[in-house]
């Protein structure tokens, strides 16, 4: 074993000397390796997320994000709740349209404050993804309105770590950002939403946006929709381009030079 180790160290020293004698070659070699490793890491991450471990909701190919964006560029724009209502009233190509907003919460538990990741969502968010709660119930339409009683749905992991997986957690209250929220449901263990950087530990409704829900200029929500069977993204894109033109005419103060762009999840 020892002679082999000596040979290895000799080879390493020789290799190091050769690399030091040719710094240009060494730099190119290091950069080539770095680019190769980086590219392979990115490719594997995409394949792992979308093929090996696809999103855990039904028919993701029919789910598309809906961006409010300037006409001259493609930006992942936010929308207001009033504009969301306009889209819901005018579209024909979607089964439904929902909205969400990544949101961090401060949770008070036994006198200790913890920061957790979450989302504020419209009441039909889980329905659009065809996700059923594991315990309890989903949000109700009236619970996304301003002034509605605060309610929350916990992730499976949060339910396990904070409540020990006890079914009695449904109906209990949890203090978020200084307000008492009633827990109405528990998400299934395999729930994932790939459009946010961190998986949500808790969902609440957009009622928490308060006065923003009544301001057309309050661009605080991201939108997504589920296409009806047989409707292509191109058809829906044409429809939403017309909707954007109508809204620009009706609300030039807020929608001037804005259009709508659809992108598959």
């Amino acid at each position: 074993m020892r002679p082999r180790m000596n040979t290895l160290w000799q080879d390493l020293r020789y290799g190091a000397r050769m690399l030091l004698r040719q710094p240009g070659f060494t730099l190119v070699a290091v950069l080539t390796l770095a680019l190769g490793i980086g590219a392979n890491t990115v490719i594997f991450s995409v394949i792992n997320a979308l093929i090996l471990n696809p999103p855990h909701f039904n028919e993701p190919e029919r789910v598309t994000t809906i961006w409010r964006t300037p006409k001259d560029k493609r930006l992942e724009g936010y929308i207001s709740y009033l504009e969301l209502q306009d889209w819901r009233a005018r579209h024909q190509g979607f089964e439904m349209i929902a909205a969400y907003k990544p949101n961090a919460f401060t949770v008070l538990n036994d006198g200790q404050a913890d920061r957790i990741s979450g989302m504020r969502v419209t009441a039909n968010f889980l329905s659009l993804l065809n996700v059923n709660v594991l315990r309890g119930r989903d949000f109700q339409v009236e619970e996304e309105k301003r002034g509605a009683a605060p309610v929350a749905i916990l992730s499976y992991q949060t339910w396990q770590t904070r409540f020990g997986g006890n079914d009695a957690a449904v109906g209990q209250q949890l203090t978020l950002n200084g307000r008492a929220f009633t827990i109405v449901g528990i998400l299934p263990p395999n729930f994932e939403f790939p459009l946010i950087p961190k998986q949500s530990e808790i969902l609440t409704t957009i009622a928490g946006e308060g006065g923003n829900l009544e301001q057309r200029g309050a661009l605080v929500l991201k939108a997504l929709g589920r296409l009806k069977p047989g409707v292509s993204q191109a058809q829906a894109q044409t429809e939403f381009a017309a909707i954007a033109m109508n809204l620009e005419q009706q609300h030039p103060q807020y929608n001037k030079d804005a259009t709508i762009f659809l992108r598959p999840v």
Side-chain angles (χ1 to χ4, degrees):
M1 175 64 79
R2 190 169 187 82
R4 291 181 181 178
M5 289 299 298
N6 291 334
T7 301
L8 175 62
W9 281 114
Q10 289 175 3
D11 290 342
L12 289 174
R13 287 196 295 269
Y14 175 76
R17 287 197 302 270
M18 293 299 295
L19 290 174
L20 290 174
R21 289 177 183 175
Q22 304 179 64
F25 171 79
T26 302
L27 179 61
V28 171
V30 171
L31 289 176
T32 301
L33 284 171
L35 290 172
I37 294 171
N40 279 279
T41 301
V42 170
I43 292 171
F44 174 76
S45 298
V46 173
I47 292 175
N48 184 63
L50 299 181
I51 300 177
L52 301 181
N53 293 291
H56 291 284
F57 51 85
N58 293 335
E59 299 178 301
E61 68 278 1
R62 287 174 53 202
V63 179
T64 176
T65 58
I66 311 175
W67 296 358
R68 183 189 196 272
T69 181
K71 293 179 180 179
D72 60 347
K73 62 185 69 175
R74 291 287 178 261
L75 299 176
E76 188 177 1
Y78 287 74
I79 65 169
S80 68
Y81 183 63
L82 293 182
E83 191 162 10
L84 174 69
Q85 298 293 66
D86 289 334
W87 292 1
R88 285 173 164 177
R90 303 180 189 206
H91 79 86
Q92 298 294 325
F94 284 91
E95 287 185 354
M96 65 181 76
I97 299 175
Y100 66 97
K101 176 187 178 182
N103 202 98
F105 298 94
T106 299
V107 178
L108 189 62
N109 189 19
D110 294 331
Q112 182 177 354
D114 297 322
R115 197 72 170 163
I116 64 172
S117 60
M119 285 191 291
R120 288 175 175 166
V121 302
T122 52
N124 64 340
F125 177 78
L126 293 177
S127 297
L128 185 148
L129 300 178
N130 285 342
V131 172
N132 296 316
V133 294
L134 181 69
R135 299 284 189 276
R137 63 169 176 84
D138 199 349
F139 294 130
Q140 298 173 351
V141 175
E142 59 270 19
E143 290 172 336
E144 74 177 43
K145 307 298 183 181
R146 182 182 182 183
V151 289
I153 295 177
L154 304 182
S155 72
Y156 182 86
Q157 291 74 18
T158 301
W159 177 49
Q160 292 292 321
T161 57
R162 293 185 179 272
F163 294 91
N166 192 332
D167 289 349
V170 176
Q172 292 188 31
Q173 290 193 330
L174 190 65
T175 302
L176 302 175
N177 295 347
R179 297 186 66 191
F181 283 68
T182 301
I183 300 169
V184 297
I186 308 296
L187 289 169
N190 63 348
F191 174 76
E192 293 179 5
F193 186 59
L195 299 183
I196 57 174
K198 291 184 178 180
Q199 287 305 311
S200 295
E201 299 177 59
I202 195 165
L203 303 183
T204 68
T205 71
I206 60 171
E209 289 298 309
N212 283 338
L213 300 181
E214 300 171 355
Q215 303 294 324
R216 186 166 290 274
L219 307 180
V220 295
L221 302 174
K222 292 185 176 183
L224 70 161
R226 177 176 287 274
L227 292 166
K228 291 180 179 178
V231 176
S232 69
Q233 182 183 322
Q235 291 172 318
Q237 178 66 70
T238 300
E239 177 187 48
F240 266 81
I243 292 175
M245 291 178 62
N246 290 334
L247 289 176
E248 183 178 18
Q249 294 171 357
Q250 294 177 10
H251 306 285
Q253 180 181 356
Y254 302 104
N255 292 77
K256 182 176 175 57
D257 297 325
T259 188
I260 303 170
F261 177 68
L262 278 57
R263 182 178 180 183
V265 169

